[in-house]
């Protein structure tokens, strides 16, 4: 390839198909535009990114943010000041400072203006300029925020402003910075972008929200427009349908409708569990306890407040202090526990242990508190107080792998119970900053790897992503909307046994150091409830439903028979209610449906005479009449098997 050739030239030479699909490239590890020139010194490590890659999707979305900014400038004039416009998960945003409020209904106008720029096929033109020149360009344009970003780049070498993605903040290297022009809008940006706006096949603007410049409430409030873009109209349509569905399934909304929990300003980030929420949690925990008992666990409970000295010893003071709450009792310093481990260790240390006792599997449903910034709190999914389904396993070093296999099997059983069968597993290895010897890490990581392989589990390795004290296995479960949630974790601890001088007496009568495994399966049970609500869309399986059956007499005359049916249901241990209002049966059905009660038993003259009930499934509709006892037996089976609810039949 001749000197001076661009990435686009290379793509063209390989084939016109590739040239057409090309979006940007990765050249010697750096993301670059297709117009980037290869330079005289090979060899090159060049990967051309097509619309199949996630990086290309981020580039498309970020480029669309530029086009949106250009459109806003056309509509609102030169007075608009621009903040930043990164790609984010699922889309992009751009922050604008302008005197006028951008009403939601003006988004369509912005979209129309963007469509014009896309039809023009406005190119993205990159220009490298000196830092000083960039400052004067932005100053002349009255772009105060960009000038501030440029000063920060000069000061810290970090372009916090324009970057492809929040997580990829990198300095604009060297003396120069890059400016990009698209349509008539010039922006400070590291790039890369799509070659021209005509390469945006499908986009949609979603909402406008206020956002403080740099998230700082003492700085100006900007207007942030959120949008998204995809490489096909079909992918955009599917995404928007998923967003709609997610809104319907929002656990905060369903939690309120079903009276499961609430939040109050008197306790920000602390969930108040209501009766209905407790029914679900207690059912989950009852099954959890049964499975743990069967798997040979014992259960303990340790205090919430423990002396500050303990947290110095455990290392939490050094590594976790920012997220902890502190208090004083009788002139001494104490901390509220953010984790259960130190308490569990004190129980282990309470008496000597023989090798014959190992492995010891000690579970604790431990209530922990962690400080989260108020801005990130989100219903049950991000709270400051939660119960972890924790356990610590103390064992001989040679037992670690078998113990991990046991945990893997338990995780599998528990996730399947809830219908999570799409599970992603990741193994994180020794990070750069870590304690312990090579040999310890090899043994611990080898045990985790060996256990995964023995169980035939496919996993991804995150090199160097382990905790500083432990390699770990993480579980990510995928819900029915395709969203991934990190829940379970298994860690082989290399620090605590030393710090707490754990010991067992071996066959040789000498003192030895046991291995220690930390593990959680549901993670935070409050958060898990939030995930379940959204996964089920509020339609809980019968075994979890707060009210399982509603008895609905067709009129007042059959209330007495309805009460008899209720007695049978009560006696069988079903959570049932009788609707003895004088409302029409259609209104009773509507009410029970809104409350997501899985079964409605409708009773009238025919049922009273025959001793039957007419069964209506919330999802499937009318199932016909059957003797009350037959319904009870079927419901008992469904509960025993923890069967998932049927999904609504789709259009034929
Ligand atoms: Zn850009
Ligand atoms: Zn622990």
């Amino acid at each position: 390839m001749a000197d001076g050739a661009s990435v686009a030239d290379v793509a063209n030479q390989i084939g016109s198909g590739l040239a057409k699909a090309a979006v940007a490239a990765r050249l010697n590890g750096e993301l670059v535009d297709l117009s980037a020139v290869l330079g005289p010194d090979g060899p090159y490590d060049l990967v051309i990114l097509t619309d199949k890659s996630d990086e290309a999707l981020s580039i498309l979305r970020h480029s669309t943010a530029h086009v949106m900014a250009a459109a806003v400038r056309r509509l609102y004039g030169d007075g608009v000041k621009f903040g930043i416009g990164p790609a984010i998960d699922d889309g992009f945003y751009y922050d604008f400072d302008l005197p006028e409020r951008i009403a939601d209904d003006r988004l369509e106008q912005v979209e129309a203006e963007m469509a014009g720029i896309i039809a023009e096929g406005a190119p993205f033109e990159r220009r490298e300029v000196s830092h000083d020149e960039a400052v004067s360009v932005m100053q002349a344009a009255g772009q105060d925020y960009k000038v501030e970003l440029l000063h920060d780049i000069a000061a810290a070498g970090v372009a916090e402003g324009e970057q492809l993605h929040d997580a990829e903040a990198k300095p604009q290297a060297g003396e120069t910075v890059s400016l990009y022009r698209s349509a008539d809008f010039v922006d400070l940006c590291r790039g890369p972008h799509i070659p021209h706006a005509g390469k945006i096949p499908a986009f949609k603007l979603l909402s406008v929200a206020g956002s403080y410049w740099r998230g700082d409430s003492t700085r100006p409030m900007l207007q942030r427009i959120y949008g998204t873009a995809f490489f096909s109209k079909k992918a955009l349509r599917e995404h928007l349908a998923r967003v709609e569905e997610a809104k319907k399934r929002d656990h905060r909304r369903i939690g309120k409708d079903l009276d499961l929990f609430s939040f109050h300003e008197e306790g920000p980030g602390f969930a108040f569990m209501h009766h209905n929420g407790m029914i679900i949690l207690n059912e989950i925990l009852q099954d959890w306890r049964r499975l743990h008992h069967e798997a040979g666990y014992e259960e303990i409970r340790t205090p919430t407040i423990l002396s500050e000295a303990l947290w110095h010893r455990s290392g939490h003071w050094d590594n976790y202090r920012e997220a902890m709450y502190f208090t004083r009792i009788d002139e001494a310093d104490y901390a509220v526990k953010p984790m259960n481990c130190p308490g569990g260790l004190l129980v282990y240390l309470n008496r000597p242990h023989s090798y014959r006792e190992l492995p010891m599997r000690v579970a604790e449903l431990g209530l922990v508190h962690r400080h989260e910034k108020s801005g990130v709190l989100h219903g049950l999914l991000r709270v400051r107080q939660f119960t972890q389904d924790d356990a610590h396993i103390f064992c001989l070093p040679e037992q670690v792998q078998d113990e991990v296999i046991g945990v893997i099997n338990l995780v599998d059983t528990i996730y399947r119970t809830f219908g999570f069968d799409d599970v992603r597993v990741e193994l994180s290895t020794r990070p750069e900053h870590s304690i312990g010897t090579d040999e310890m890490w090899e043994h611990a990581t080898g045990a985790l790897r060996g256990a995964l392989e023995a169980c035939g589990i496919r996993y991804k390795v995150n090199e160097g992503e382990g905790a500083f004290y432990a390699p770990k296995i993480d579980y990510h479960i995928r819900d029915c909307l395709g969203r991934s949630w990190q829940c379970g974790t298994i860690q082989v601890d290399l620090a605590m046994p030393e710090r707490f001088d754990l010991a067992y007496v071996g066959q040789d009568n000498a003192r030895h150091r046991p291995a220690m495994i930390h593990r959680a399966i549901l993670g935070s049970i409050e958060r898990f409830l939030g995930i379940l609500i959204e996964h089920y869309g509020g339609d809980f399986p019968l075994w979890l439903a707060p009210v399982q059956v509603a008895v609905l007499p067709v009129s007042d005359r059959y209330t007495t028979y309805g009460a008899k049916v209720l007695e049978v249901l009560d006696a069988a241990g079903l959570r049932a209610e009788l609707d003895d209002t004088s409302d029409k049966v259609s209104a009773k059905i509507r009410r029970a449906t809104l409350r997501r009660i899985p079964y409605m038993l409708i009773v009238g003259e025919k049922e009273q005479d025959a001793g039957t009930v007419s069964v209506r499934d919330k999802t499937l509709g009318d199932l016909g009449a059957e003797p009350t006892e037959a319904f009870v037996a079927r419901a008992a089976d469904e509960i025993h098997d923890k069967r998932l609810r049927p999904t609504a039949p789709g259009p034929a």
Side-chain angles (χ1 to χ4, degrees):
M1 180 81 15
D3 188 18
S6 69
V7 174
D9 294 333
V10 176
N12 245 316
Q13 206 176 54
I14 298 172
S16 61
L18 179 64
K20 203 160 162 269
V23 174
R26 189 173 270 288
L27 177 59
N28 301 328
E30 294 281 318
L31 288 172
V32 297
D33 297 321
L34 291 179
S35 61
V37 172
L38 262 47
D41 307 316
Y44 310 106
D45 175 11
L46 180 66
V47 181
I48 293 174
L49 303 175
T50 69
D51 55 16
K52 301 280 177 289
S53 91
D54 288 346
E55 281 173 319
L57 188 58
S58 269
I59 292 167
L60 173 76
R61 288 169 173 171
H62 168 68
S63 303
T64 311
H66 277 261
V67 170
M68 177 171 77
V72 166
R73 189 167 172 279
R74 281 187 180 179
L75 282 172
Y76 291 87
D78 289 338
V80 184
K81 289 181 191 172
F82 298 90
I84 60 167
I88 51 174
D89 287 348
D90 293 338
F92 62 83
Y93 67 78
Y94 212 119
D95 288 343
F96 306 102
D97 187 349
L98 69 168
E100 181 181 345
R101 208 177 74 80
I102 306 173
D104 273 326
D105 55 10
R106 288 207 72 183
L107 290 183
E108 276 176 35
Q109 270 175 292
V110 180
E111 284 179 338
E113 201 63 47
M114 290 170 71
I117 295 170
I118 291 168
E120 289 162 26
F124 277 84
E125 291 163 353
R126 179 186 173 96
R127 194 155 68 94
E128 302 225 354
V129 298
S130 71
H131 188 270
D132 291 347
E133 189 183 342
V135 171
S136 57
V137 167
M138 288 303 169
Q139 249 161 8
Q143 293 302 331
D144 306 344
Y145 301 112
K146 300 291 179 187
V147 173
E148 184 180 328
L149 293 173
L150 280 161
H151 286 317
D152 287 358
I153 294 170
V158 176
E160 233 186 275
E162 282 283 4
Q163 64 243 350
L164 187 59
H165 193 283
D166 285 341
E168 281 185 45
K170 258 194 203 160
Q172 286 220 33
E175 299 293 294
T176 62
V177 295
S178 50
L179 299 180
Y180 277 85
R181 172 188 291 279
S182 52
D184 32 21
F185 170 64
V186 177
D187 205 351
L188 166 71
C189 189
R190 190 162 53 93
H193 303 99
I194 54 175
H196 62 82
K199 285 246 181 190
I200 302 173
F203 75 95
K204 175 94 186 131
L205 300 188
L206 301 170
S207 60
V208 192
S211 167
Y212 289 111
W213 171 236
R214 314 199 108 169
D216 179 346
S217 61
T218 66
R219 308 295 307 271
M221 169 75 87
L222 309 183
Q223 301 186 66
R224 173 172 295 179
I225 301 183
Y226 286 99
T228 191
F230 282 88
F231 282 114
S232 76
K233 295 214 158 52
K234 180 166 175 270
L236 174 63
R237 247 191 339 264
E238 286 169 359
H239 172 75
L240 294 175
R242 266 199 309 274
V243 169
E244 255 331 286
E245 188 59 34
K247 263 191 222 159
K248 269 192 258 165
R249 288 168 179 261
D250 190 317
H251 75 282
R252 293 167 296 184
R253 187 161 138 188
I254 294 175
K256 191 162 183 247
D257 289 349
L258 300 189
D259 196 17
L260 302 180
F261 60 87
S262 59
F263 284 91
H264 302 269
E265 56 184 276
E266 289 82 354
F270 304 132
F272 289 68
M273 279 296 156
H274 298 193
H275 177 61
N276 286 343
M278 284 310 294
I279 290 174
I280 299 171
L281 283 184
N282 284 334
E283 288 289 355
I284 292 173
L285 294 182
Q286 193 183 327
D287 194 51
W288 186 96
R289 286 196 163 100
R290 178 182 65 83
L291 289 169
H292 280 72
H293 176 73
E294 285 171 14
Y297 283 77
E298 43 189 67
E299 184 179 346
I300 61 169
R301 184 161 69 192
T302 66
T304 297
I305 297 176
L306 292 164
S307 82
E308 202 180 282
L310 178 70
W311 302 100
H312 282 279
R313 189 173 175 196
S314 67
H316 286 88
W317 176 267
D318 291 331
N319 296 293
Y320 213 77
R321 195 175 47 215
E322 300 299 313
M324 291 169 65
Y325 300 109
F326 295 91
T327 187
R328 283 178 72 80
I329 302 173
D330 293 343
E331 314 291 298
D333 293 320
Y334 286 80
V336 179
K337 71 174 173 184
M339 296 186 197
N340 304 301
C341 334
L345 288 169
L346 294 184
V347 174
Y348 182 88
L349 290 168
N350 192 49
R351 62 176 175 81
H353 297 282
S354 148
Y355 70 94
R356 284 196 205 85
E357 291 176 68
L358 304 184
M360 280 178 65
R361 308 183 187 105
V362 188
E364 173 168 18
L365 291 161
L367 183 67
V368 297
H369 291 71
R370 294 180 188 175
H371 182 69
E372 297 273 9
K373 292 213 173 86
S374 57
V376 302
L377 298 175
H378 179 89
L380 294 176
L381 299 180
R382 200 80 178 262
V383 287
R384 288 174 172 160
Q385 182 209 52
F386 56 92
T387 309
Q388 241 184 352
D389 69 323
D390 219 340
H392 296 108
I393 299 172
F394 305 96
C395 62
L396 306 175
E398 59 269 30
Q399 291 171 332
V400 171
Q401 181 163 323
D402 282 344
E403 286 307 305
V404 174
I405 290 173
V407 176
I408 289 173
N409 290 331
L410 191 54
V411 170
D412 187 62
T413 305
I414 290 181
Y415 288 173
R416 273 179 203 286
T417 305
F418 297 100
F420 292 116
D421 34 27
D422 187 355
V423 175
R424 208 173 75 236
V425 179
E426 296 180 356
L427 172 67
S428 299
T429 61
R430 184 177 194 176
E432 208 176 312
H433 298 288
S434 52
I435 55 125
T437 64
D438 285 352
E439 201 192 336
M440 289 163 83
W441 278 88
E442 262 160 46
H443 177 259
T445 313
L448 291 177
R449 198 186 293 272
L452 287 170
E453 266 149 33
C455 296
I457 291 180
R458 286 176 45 183
Y459 60 96
K460 181 179 149 219
V461 178
N462 294 330
E463 291 294 348
E465 304 264 303
F468 73 93
Y469 60 87
K472 57 179 184 158
I473 293 172
D474 286 326
Y475 283 84
H476 302 257
I477 56 179
R478 199 179 289 282
D479 70 15
C480 68
L481 293 178
R483 297 169 305 181
S484 187
W485 304 93
Q486 205 241 300
C487 290
T489 186
I490 309 173
Q491 312 180 349
V492 182
D493 194 316
L494 303 174
M496 297 276 189
E498 301 288 327
R499 279 175 182 264
F500 283 82
D501 193 23
L502 297 191
Y504 69 89
V505 178
Q507 211 160 359
D508 56 1
N509 255 327
R511 215 169 163 274
H512 300 274
R513 185 83 72 216
M516 177 182 183
I517 300 168
H518 307 251
R519 47 115 284 192
I521 296 176
L522 305 175
S524 144
I525 62 168
E526 288 80 357
R527 178 167 166 275
F528 192 76
L529 174 61
I531 296 168
L532 274 190
I533 293 170
E534 301 200 356
H535 182 56
Y536 296 142
D539 287 324
F540 283 95
L542 195 60
W543 72 286
L544 293 176
V547 180
Q548 295 165 319
V549 190
V551 182
L552 313 179
V554 296
S555 79
D556 289 346
R557 263 188 294 160
Y558 307 104
T559 305
T560 314
Y561 178 62
K564 265 209 226 145
V565 170
L566 182 68
E567 256 174 53
V568 177
L569 300 175
D570 278 344
L574 288 164
R575 294 186 289 269
E577 285 181 5
L578 171 68
D579 187 340
D580 55 7
T581 62
S582 308
D583 295 333
K584 283 205 178 115
V585 74
S586 58
K588 294 179 180 179
I589 290 174
R590 205 170 323 121
R591 196 157 50 225
T593 304
L594 281 175
R595 291 176 60 207
R596 320 289 184 120
I597 300 173
Y599 287 109
M600 293 161 238
L601 304 184
I602 297 159
V603 293
E605 187 173 357
K606 227 169 38 185
E607 288 79 10
Q608 178 174 283
D609 291 349
T612 60
V613 291
S614 279
V615 182
R616 188 181 170 86
D617 181 300
K618 190 220 155 238
T619 309
L620 300 178
D622 193 5
L623 298 183
E626 64 183 322
T628 309
E629 288 69 22
F631 169 78
V632 167
R634 277 198 311 117
D637 281 351
E638 187 173 337
I639 290 168
H640 176 268
D641 298 346
K642 302 193 167 53
R643 249 174 266 154
L644 300 172
R645 292 298 294 157
T647 43

